[in-house]
């Protein structure tokens, strides 16, 4: 066993869960592991604390608020003080400051990118084409000069150009051949067992209203189209952690729909629940991919038209729905809302 430590770096509940899956998959539970676990919102903090209670097997744990940025300095100095060479890096997401340490200070025998939902598909494309440093996180382009300067200063995650992927997705890029390691969610599966199914249909919320759509008002029209297919008064709506409570309350009143905000991330709720829903639906959520692996239920996905999606995101969103079709989900195309 290597005497070099392994570094796990995450900043969302899902990334944390996949770091745990990686720790188990690569047999690192009893070796020296360092978890750097950052949170942005209070809700994320509480979700991540629940996960950490279930998996306390870390040699060192740094759990801290991501902002203000100055709070990252003492954590990075503790992690890298007196050590530069690590066996593994398992990486979910970072900041400019953290990138500098990973690019300029540390060395890793191997680097694996863990899934951050279906955004991983777009990341794989940008890593394969080595365009990651040329785009901001919102996928708008940086100028050529700015991207070059940031890369040279170590502010961009250019270390990922040599990374492998620890992923649930079937990523097919010739430039990434030999660099895909399948995450089969064995840690979650081992705790799931056989459970009875209820008559509930869970509609898995997503943040497409804020993140994907050119016009937020279109979301209401799409939800109305969904209601014509599935009576929303008879489903349980499981919100995305970023969906605002005031808007959810309005939608609940409109359709008589139960909104049930879970105490843990969906994957772990399924592990701990005494029963399971009979079916799932969504506009699109990475949770559907993990649900499919864990319990194989019927899954229906409602697809907004490309014209409703922000231009910079259309290719990525198209890939998500192609992946859903390939997995055998029922995909229902929605119509563009008519303008008054």
């Amino acid at each position: 066993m290597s005497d070099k430590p392994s570094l796990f770096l995450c900043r969302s509940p899902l990334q944390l869960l996949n770091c745990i899956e990686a720790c188990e998959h690569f047999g690192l539970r009893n070796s020296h592991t360092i978890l750097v676990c950052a949170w942005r919102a209070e809700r994320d903090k509480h979700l991540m604390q629940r996960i950490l209670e279930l998996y306390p097997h870390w040699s060192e744990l740094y759990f801290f608020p991501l902002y203000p940025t100055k709070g990252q300095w003492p954590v990075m100095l503790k992690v890298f003080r007196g050590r530069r060479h690590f066996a593994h890096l398992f990486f979910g997401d970072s900041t400019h400051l953290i990138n500098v340490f990973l690019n300029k200070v540390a060395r890793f025998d191997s680097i694996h990118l863990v899934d951050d939902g279906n955004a991983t598909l777009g990341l794989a494309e940008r890593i394969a084409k080595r365009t990651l440093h040329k785009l901001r996180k919102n996928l708008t382009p940086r100028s050529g000069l700015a991207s070059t300067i940031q890369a040279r200063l170590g502010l961009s995650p250019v270390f990922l150009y040599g990374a492998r992927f620890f992923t649930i997705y079937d990523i097919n890029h010739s430039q990434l051949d030999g660099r895909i390691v399948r995450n089969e969610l064995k840690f979650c599966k081992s705790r799931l067992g056989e459970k009875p199914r209820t008559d509930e249909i869970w509609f898995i919320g997503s943040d497409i209203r804020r993140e994907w759509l050119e016009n937020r008002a279109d979301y209401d029209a799409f939800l109305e189209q969904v209601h014509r297919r599935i009576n929303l008064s008879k489903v349980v709506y499981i919100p995305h952690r970023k969906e605002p409570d005031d808007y959810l309350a309005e939608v609940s009143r409109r359709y008589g729909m139960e909104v049930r905000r879970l105490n843990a991330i969906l994957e772990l709720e399924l592990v701990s629940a005494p029963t399971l829903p009979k079916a799932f639906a969504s506009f699109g959520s990475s949770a559907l991919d993990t649900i499919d692996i864990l319990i194989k239920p019927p899954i229906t996905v409602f697809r907004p038209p490309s014209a409703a999606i922000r231009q910079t995101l259309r290719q990525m969103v198209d890939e998500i729905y192609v992946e859903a079709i390939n997995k055998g989900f029922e995909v229902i195309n929605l119509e563009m809302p008519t303008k008054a």
Side-chain angles (χ1 to χ4, degrees):
M1 184 179 294
S2 172
D3 58 353
K4 289 174 286 193
S6 295
L7 178 61
F8 296 75
L9 197 153
C10 62
R11 50 178 286 188
S12 78
L14 182 58
Q15 291 172 26
L16 174 56
L17 179 63
N18 285 321
C19 280
I20 291 170
E21 291 287 355
C23 191
E24 291 292 294
H25 178 91
F26 291 95
L28 298 172
R29 181 193 287 199
N30 297 317
S31 63
H32 189 168
T33 55
I34 303 166
L35 175 64
V36 177
C37 185
W39 50 273
R40 180 192 292 264
E42 283 291 320
R43 184 171 283 134
D44 283 2
K45 174 186 176 181
H46 298 313
L47 290 173
M48 294 168 93
Q49 285 174 328
R50 290 289 304 275
I51 297 171
L52 289 170
E53 289 171 5
L54 293 173
Y55 197 87
H57 311 294
W58 306 102
S59 308
E60 299 176 44
L61 169 62
Y62 301 96
F63 185 62
F64 65 103
L66 198 57
Y67 298 106
T69 304
K70 64 181 181 181
Q72 298 171 28
W73 272 105
V75 175
M76 292 298 101
L77 292 175
K78 287 178 182 177
V79 169
F80 295 103
R81 181 178 291 129
R83 54 192 171 200
R84 297 290 184 271
H85 196 177
F86 296 78
H88 308 284
L89 170 65
F90 295 94
F91 176 89
D93 197 5
S94 68
T95 64
H96 289 321
L97 175 62
I98 295 172
N99 286 338
V100 172
F101 281 89
L102 299 180
N103 282 312
K104 301 291 188 179
V105 176
R107 288 188 295 128
F108 303 96
D109 294 338
S110 76
I111 297 174
H112 286 84
L113 180 68
V114 302
D115 285 338
D116 187 25
N118 42 39
T120 302
L121 296 170
L123 264 176
E125 177 83 13
R126 295 189 291 280
I127 289 171
K129 295 181 177 178
R130 301 183 74 85
T131 59
L132 186 63
H133 67 289
K134 298 179 180 181
L135 299 171
R136 299 180 180 88
K137 285 192 176 182
N138 64 5
L139 302 185
T140 57
R142 286 195 179 97
S143 71
L145 179 60
S147 60
T148 299
I149 291 173
Q150 288 211 0
R152 288 179 178 174
L153 291 175
L155 296 168
S156 301
V158 292
F159 56 90
L160 288 178
Y161 287 145
R164 297 176 181 176
F165 289 76
F166 181 63
T167 178
I168 65 172
Y169 297 105
D170 186 18
I171 296 174
N172 291 305
H173 287 287
S174 58
Q175 297 95 325
L176 301 178
D177 285 349
R179 293 166 58 183
I180 308 300
V181 180
R182 292 307 290 267
N183 176 6
E184 298 176 347
L185 300 176
K186 288 183 178 179
F187 174 75
C188 285
K189 279 184 178 178
S190 69
R191 285 152 177 78
L192 192 59
E194 293 294 327
K195 299 181 181 183
R197 303 291 173 104
T198 69
D199 289 331
E200 289 185 338
I201 298 174
W202 282 14
F203 196 101
I204 307 304
S206 51
D207 200 26
I208 71 167
R209 177 171 168 265
R210 185 178 65 90
E211 291 284 347
W212 287 9
L213 299 182
E214 289 275 15
N215 182 357
R216 289 190 185 186
D218 287 345
Y219 187 85
D220 291 335
F222 294 141
L223 203 57
E224 185 62 35
Q225 291 183 48
V226 170
H227 183 54
R228 294 179 205 142
R229 298 267 188 164
I230 301 176
N231 186 343
L232 291 178
S233 69
K234 299 185 182 301
V235 308
V236 176
Y237 189 90
I238 309 297
H240 187 279
R241 70 186 197 281
K242 294 182 180 179
E243 288 186 279
D245 290 329
D246 55 350
Y247 180 74
L248 292 172
E250 176 189 327
V251 170
S252 177
R253 286 192 298 270
R254 187 186 310 160
Y255 295 108
M257 178 174 63
E258 178 187 349
V259 175
R260 187 185 301 170
R261 203 178 274 283
L262 304 179
N263 293 321
I265 65 173
L266 181 59
E267 294 82 357
L268 294 184
E269 285 283 347
L270 296 179
V271 167
S272 59
T275 59
L276 300 173
K278 70 175 182 180
F280 292 81
S282 181
F283 285 115
S285 169
S286 57
L288 298 179
D289 300 314
T290 51
I291 290 166
D292 181 52
I293 294 170
L294 291 173
I295 61 174
K296 287 288 181 186
I299 294 175
T300 302
V301 180
F302 293 91
R303 180 179 188 172
S306 291
I309 306 299
R310 287 163 44 195
Q311 180 69 45
T312 56
L313 299 179
R314 286 179 187 173
Q315 181 179 348
M316 181 199 76
V317 171
D318 284 345
E319 290 172 356
I320 290 169
Y321 289 112
V322 168
E323 181 80 7
I325 293 169
N326 291 339
K327 286 177 179 288
F329 301 168
E330 180 185 18
V331 177
I332 296 175
N333 293 319
L334 301 177
E335 297 176 358
M336 196 68 188
T338 54
K339 303 302 179 183

